[in-house]
Amino acid sequence: MEVKWEGIRSISGTSWKMRTIDWEDGAVTLIDQTGLPKEERVLKCSTVDELVDAIRNLRVRGAPALCAAGAFGVALAAKNGEDIENAAEILKKTRPTAINLSYGIDRVLEKASNGKTTEEIREFTLEEAKRIAEEDIEVNKKIGEHGAKLLEDGDVVLTHCNAGRMACIDWGTALGVIRTAIEQGKEIKVVACETRPLNQGSRITTWELLRDNIPVMLIVDSAAGYLMKKGMVDKVIVGADRITRNAVINKIGTYSLSILAKEHGIPFYVAAPLSTFDLEKEEKDVEIEERVPNELIYIGREQIAPLDVDVYNPAFDATPIELVTAIITEKGISESQSL
Ligand code: MRU
């Protein structure tokens, strides 16, 4: 369903540091990440349909932000008098790979089950969704404090996709570690992989880092190995969409980076909240989202491949846990082998 966006406003003029996703005047507001870096606009989702469309089209994206989006989505359904179980099912199916989405939804549903009246259900769901958003910031600050111990003054850190403020409510996971290290006075430079096909690295990571005056250099995904070989990368830090017993599932291209890091003796770190862990599962049990061929056939309106070419477009891949040097969570740093 194509949604007509009515609640659009520009964030220029207001502080760009508004939360990535929030609750405002009975609706969910979010920074529309599809517009970045050119258009800085905020969308207002007054219905679950609008929010579902925003999630599917990556207007809001990144595992922790999806956690809050799912949570606010259930609160929105309750506010609008919709069947919250049905809304939860629809929301969960929007993006299958990041476990944080269903984690947020289930937490809110659990609270709703304590509500005896419609009014209580509305109140409890919104309270819990707001709590999830608050927690995200606290958790990311803790991830930052732990992870910053791994970074040394002068490090150049390569990252993939966007595991920053825009993938969370604020601060970020992988980029949160970098922000905290910089706050502590360390000089850190970032190398951002552009992250084809949707370019979360070039469009979003560079945008948010430059706004915080954090030095960042953009590269094409395929240049990572060359930079590592030339000694231009000290560490790799990425986020995660799901961490199973045997793998870290994250944006497509992460697995290749982990192999390159190993080959070049570079530490490969994953920064993620505990809500990303799914230790009952293994890589084979996780659905990897496949996206439409047009993401590869077009750049914007420009056709860059034959229309009838076969396309395979997985949005995520799985990095075997043995290739991860350590995982940074709000509880500390764990050698991944000890999961
Ligand atoms: O498809 P996206 O942009 O939602 O993918 C996001 C990622 O792969 C991130 O690295 C991951 O969600 C961690 S964000 C803190």
Side-chain angles (χ1 to χ4, degrees):
M1 187 189 85
E2 195 53 38
V3 170
K4 194 165 159 280
W5 290 98
E6 284 171 357
I8 301 179
R9 68 168 194 260
S10 165
I11 52 175
S12 338
T14 63
S15 163
W16 82 272
K17 283 188 177 175
M18 66 167 281
R19 292 180 175 194
T20 304
I21 177 162
D22 211 345
W23 182 270
E24 218 180 281
D25 301 330
V28 180
T29 50
L30 51 96
I31 297 177
D32 179 1
Q33 302 190 35
T34 59
L36 297 175
K38 263 172 78 179
E39 286 174 48
E40 301 178 359
R41 55 179 185 245
V42 177
L43 296 182
K44 187 171 174 184
C45 303
S46 306
T47 65
V48 173
D49 276 353
E50 287 177 343
L51 185 61
V52 162
D53 176 83
I55 298 172
R56 280 207 190 110
N57 291 306
L58 274 69
R59 297 180 193 280
V60 58
R61 46 145 299 279
L66 290 176
C67 176
F72 280 129
V74 177
L76 192 58
K79 189 222 146 212
N80 290 344
E82 289 172 49
D83 176 345
I84 58 169
E85 298 281 348
N86 182 48
E89 277 314 298
I90 296 169
L91 284 159
K92 277 185 187 179
K93 285 191 189 129
T94 50
R95 300 209 63 203
T97 306
I99 190 168
N100 313 59
L101 177 62
S102 25
Y103 168 86
I105 292 170
D106 288 339
R107 255 183 71 171
V108 174
L109 284 180
E110 169 78 28
K111 288 287 169 189
S113 66
N114 300 328
K116 292 186 187 58
T117 62
T118 317
E119 206 35 62
E120 272 187 1
I121 293 174
R122 281 187 189 149
E123 193 187 313
F124 294 172
T125 50
L126 185 55
E127 251 174 36
E128 187 64 3
K130 286 184 174 172
R131 190 171 305 124
I132 285 172
E134 287 306 322
E135 273 176 24
D136 174 75
I137 303 172
E138 289 161 28
V139 160
N140 291 338
K141 291 279 172 126
K142 284 191 189 136
I143 291 175
E145 279 163 34
H146 295 300
K149 294 180 198 137
L150 298 167
L151 298 188
E152 288 160 51
D153 190 28
D155 271 350
V156 176
V157 181
L158 181 140
T159 192
H160 191 55
C161 193
N162 172 264
R165 189 191 295 284
M166 300 306 295
C168 303
I169 302 299
D170 200 349
W171 204 247
T173 55
L175 299 190
V177 169
I178 291 164
R179 284 198 167 90
T180 304
I182 290 174
E183 213 175 55
Q184 292 171 350
K186 293 175 192 167
E187 197 188 294
I188 309 287
K189 291 195 179 90
V190 180
V191 173
C193 295
E194 63 174 345
T195 319
R196 285 282 297 142
L198 295 182
N199 290 70
Q200 290 91 330
S202 56
R203 295 188 304 102
I204 306 171
T205 292
T206 58
W207 179 82
E208 69 160 80
L209 290 177
L210 289 176
R211 262 157 186 73
D212 273 355
N213 295 317
I214 297 176
V216 54
M217 184 170 65
L218 175 65
I219 61 167
V220 291
D221 298 323
S222 44
Y226 181 64
L227 267 78
M228 289 185 191
K229 194 168 175 208
K230 284 177 65 138
M232 292 170 72
V233 175
D234 298 302
K235 274 144 203 168
V236 177
I237 310 183
V238 295
D241 284 82
R242 197 183 288 235
I243 300 175
T244 67
R245 276 206 300 278
N246 62 349
V248 169
I249 292 155
N250 191 48
K251 181 53 57 195
I252 190 78
T254 304
Y255 172 49
S256 315
L257 289 172
S258 72
I259 292 179
L260 286 170
K262 184 173 184 202
E263 174 69 21
H264 295 92
I266 295 169
F268 185 91
Y269 298 120
V270 173
L274 291 172
S275 53
T276 308
F277 284 69
D278 190 10
L279 296 180
E280 277 163 22
K281 296 229 171 81
E282 295 196 346
E283 172 193 340
K284 65 176 171 36
D285 309 317
V286 179
E287 182 182 347
I288 298 290
E289 177 183 356
E290 267 182 53
R291 297 192 57 85
V292 293
N294 275 0
E295 289 182 356
L296 273 74
I297 293 176
Y298 291 91
I299 291 186
R301 283 161 195 259
E302 195 64 33
Q303 187 192 329
I304 56 157
L307 294 177
D308 55 353
V309 69
D310 276 344
V311 171
Y312 176 46
N313 185 17
F316 302 95
D317 62 25
T319 298
I321 218 79
E322 310 80 69
L323 293 177
V324 178
T325 312
I327 301 182
I328 310 155
T329 71
E330 61 270 37
K331 294 276 180 226
I333 300 165
S334 104
E335 302 293 320
S336 53
Q337 282 77 359
S338 64
L339 276 181

